[in-house]
């Protein structure tokens, strides 16, 4: 009987050791993903990162000629530059992403194993931007730090892993990049508020555009994303690395939860249609710099 118990204990120990080794393998694969990114993709990523960093410096020099910008606090000037870069990134990325999502039926019908070169291009540009903005947020402690850092690290590393696997499951992060449609409205509205122009007609129209784009690209598009996950669940589980599955599901859950909370329960009305004080309180409480 003792021999049987010892054998059972030994088998359980081996099983637990096997599980720990598997977990260690997943962690190693997760952090070694950059080693498997091709040289041409790294060139795109680095070019995007350097361009973003350079734009912060050049933008500051250019906007010093604007009276309203000069009287802003140092913190607001820093955030102004990050929002300019956020807007430029969105204007570059969104047309390509929308084109891929709308026109590439083969990628849409095979979201796990299908590959589109423009999709990988967008992911590389996004990686450079997310990591560049991450540096700015940490360096200048731009609020709210927690959700911005979580979003940028999750999205940036997930994109990196996707590119390292030669585009496996690339349709999902490409589809999530449609949320960039809200950035120009969001950032312009913030700038107008800082320039005391929040009650102008332009600000009102931009606010309505912000609300409409958020509803369309961050709320109403979620069911189709979830359907694509459900329809291709077996392919994701069998064809996508475990660390890739974890990153994908973490990004989807985080973004859907944040976007819906912020739209339905956050101070959206105050931000878009409220007074300057209400807008600033809304920005301070929840933050609006979520790409």
């Amino acid at each position: 009987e003792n021999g049987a118990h010892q054998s059972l204990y030994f088998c359980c120990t081996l099983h637990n050791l096997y599980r720990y080794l598997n977990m260690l393998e997943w962690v190693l694969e997760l952090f070694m993903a950059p080693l498997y990114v091709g040289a041409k993709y790294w060139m795109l990523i680095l070019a995007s990162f350097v361009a973003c960093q350079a734009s912060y410096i050049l933008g500051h020099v250019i906007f010093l000629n604007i009276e309203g910008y000069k009287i802003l606090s140092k913190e607001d000037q820093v955030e102004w530059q990050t929002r300019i870069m956020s807007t430029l990134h969105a204007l570059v990325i969104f047309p390509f992403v929308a084109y891929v999502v709308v026109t590439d039926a083969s990628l849409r019908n095979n979201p796990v194993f299908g590959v589109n070169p423009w999709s990988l291009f967008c992911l590389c540009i996004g990686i450079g931007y997310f990591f560049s903005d991450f540096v700015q947020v940490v360096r200048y402690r731009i609020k709210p730090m927690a959700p911005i850092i979580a979003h940028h690290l999750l999205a940036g590393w997930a994109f990196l892993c996707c590119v390292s696997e030669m585009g496996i499951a690339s349709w999902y992060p490409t589809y999530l990049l449609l949320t960039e449609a809200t950035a120009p409205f969001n950032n312009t509205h913030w700038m107008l508020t800082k320039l005391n122009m929040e009650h102008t007609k332009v600000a009102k129209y931009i606010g309505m555009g912000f609300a409409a784009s958020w509803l369309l690209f961050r709320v109403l598009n979620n069911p189709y994303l979830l359907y694509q996950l459900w329809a291709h669940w077996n392919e994701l589980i069998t064809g996508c690395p475990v660390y890739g599955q974890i990153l994908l599901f973490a990004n989807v859950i985080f973004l859907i939860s944040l976007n819906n909370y912020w739209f339905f329960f956050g101070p959206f009305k105050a931000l878009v249609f409220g007074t300057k004080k209400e807008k600033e309180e809304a920005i301070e409480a929840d933050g609006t710099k979520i790409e």
Side-chain angles (χ1 to χ4, degrees), residues 94-107:
F94 182 77
F96 289 105
V97 170
Y99 174 78
V100 171
V101 170
V102 172
T103 65
D104 195 337
S106 61
L107 182 63

Side-chain angles (χ1 to χ4, degrees), residues 1-13:
E1 185 177 345
N2 288 336
H5 285 162
Q6 289 177 354
S7 297
L8 180 61
Y9 176 78
F10 180 71
C11 289
C12 290
T13 302

Side-chain angles (χ1 to χ4, degrees), residues 207-222:
M208 289 187 286
F210 180 31
S213 64
W214 192 286
L215 179 64
L216 180 60
F217 293 106
R218 290 182 180 262
V219 178
L220 296 180
N221 67 335
N222 290 335

Side-chain angles (χ1 to χ4, degrees), residues 49 53 56 82 128-142 149 152:
F49 181 88
Q53 289 294 313
Y56 300 134
T82 65
Y129 165 72
F130 282 134
F131 288 150
S132 174
D133 202 51
F134 168 78
V135 171
Q136 293 297 104
V137 170
V138 173
R139 181 181 178 185
Y140 294 105
R141 305 186 68 81
I142 297 173
I149 288 175
H152 283 19

Side-chain angles (χ1 to χ4, degrees), residues 36-46:
Y36 300 103
V37 175
K40 65 178 180 179
Y41 296 124
W42 267 122
M43 289 177 64
L44 270 175
I45 293 168
L46 292 175

Side-chain angles (χ1 to χ4, degrees), residues 11-286:
C11 289
C12 290
T13 302
L14 285 179
H15 179 68
N16 288 332
L17 180 61
Y18 175 75
R19 290 173 58 193
Y20 293 142
L21 288 175
N22 268 345
M23 291 177 63
L24 180 61
E25 182 183 2
W26 300 340
V27 172
L28 288 175
E29 287 179 342
L30 176 63
F31 288 102
M32 289 178 66
L35 299 178
Y36 300 103
V37 175
K40 65 178 180 179
Y41 296 124
W42 267 122
M43 289 177 64
L44 270 175
I45 293 168
L46 292 175
S48 174
F49 181 88
V50 171
C52 290
Q53 289 294 313
S55 76
Y56 300 134
I57 300 172
L58 294 175
H60 179 67
V61 173
I62 293 171
F63 280 96
L64 278 176
N65 296 319
I66 298 178
E67 194 65 33
Y69 177 81
K70 289 192 291 187
I71 64 174
L72 295 176
S73 66
K74 181 180 178 181
E75 292 77 11
D76 283 342
Q77 287 184 355
V78 169
E79 184 161 356
W80 182 290
Q81 295 310 318
T82 65
R83 287 179 179 271
I84 288 291
M85 191 59 246
S86 167
T87 301
L88 292 175
H89 169 256
L91 293 175
V92 170
I93 285 292
F94 182 77
F96 289 105
V97 170
Y99 174 78
V100 171
V101 170
V102 172
T103 65
D104 195 337
S106 61
L107 182 63
R108 186 168 58 250
N109 295 329
N110 188 15
V112 178
F113 300 110
V115 178
N116 184 299
W118 287 114
S119 175
L120 295 180
F121 167 81
C122 292
L123 295 184
C124 289
I125 299 299
I127 293 167
Y129 165 72
F130 282 134
F131 288 150
S132 174
D133 202 51
F134 168 78
V135 171
Q136 293 297 104
V137 170
V138 173
R139 181 181 178 185
Y140 294 105
R141 305 186 68 81
I142 297 173
K143 296 180 180 180
M145 284 186 65
I148 298 175
I149 288 175
H151 172 258
H152 283 19
L153 286 181
L154 276 174
W157 207 265
F159 289 8
L160 194 63
C161 291
C162 182
V163 174
S164 74
E165 293 289 339
M166 296 305 295
I168 192 167
S170 61
W171 181 88
Y172 297 99
T174 302
Y175 187 81
L176 286 173
L177 279 173
L178 287 173
T179 58
E180 290 295 323
T182 64
F185 297 104
N186 180 5
N187 295 328
T188 305
H189 197 273
W190 181 89
M191 292 172 188
L192 291 174
T193 300
K194 290 298 179 181
L195 295 175
N196 297 315
M197 297 174 61
E198 67 273 17
H199 293 304
T200 62
K201 286 186 177 181
V202 172
K204 291 291 184 182
Y205 290 137
I206 290 175
M208 289 187 286
F210 180 31
S213 64
W214 192 286
L215 179 64
L216 180 60
F217 293 106
R218 290 182 180 262
V219 178
L220 296 180
N221 67 335
N222 290 335
Y224 185 64
L225 173 63
L226 295 175
Y227 166 77
Q228 284 286 61
L229 286 170
W230 172 78
H232 300 276
W233 181 264
N234 289 335
E235 298 161 57
L236 278 169
I237 298 301
T238 58
C240 190
V242 175
Y243 68 87
Q245 298 170 28
I246 294 171
L247 281 172
L248 173 60
F249 298 143
N251 272 283
V252 169
I253 293 170
F254 178 80
L255 278 178
I256 289 180
S257 300
L258 185 66
N259 290 337
N260 282 275
Y261 163 77
W262 201 82
F263 188 83
F264 291 108
F265 303 104
F268 198 91
K269 182 179 179 181
L271 179 68
V272 178
F273 302 108
T275 64
K276 181 177 181 180
K277 183 179 179 180
E278 290 172 336
K279 296 176 194 294
E280 291 178 345
E281 288 175 351
I283 292 172
E284 183 71 21
D286 281 81

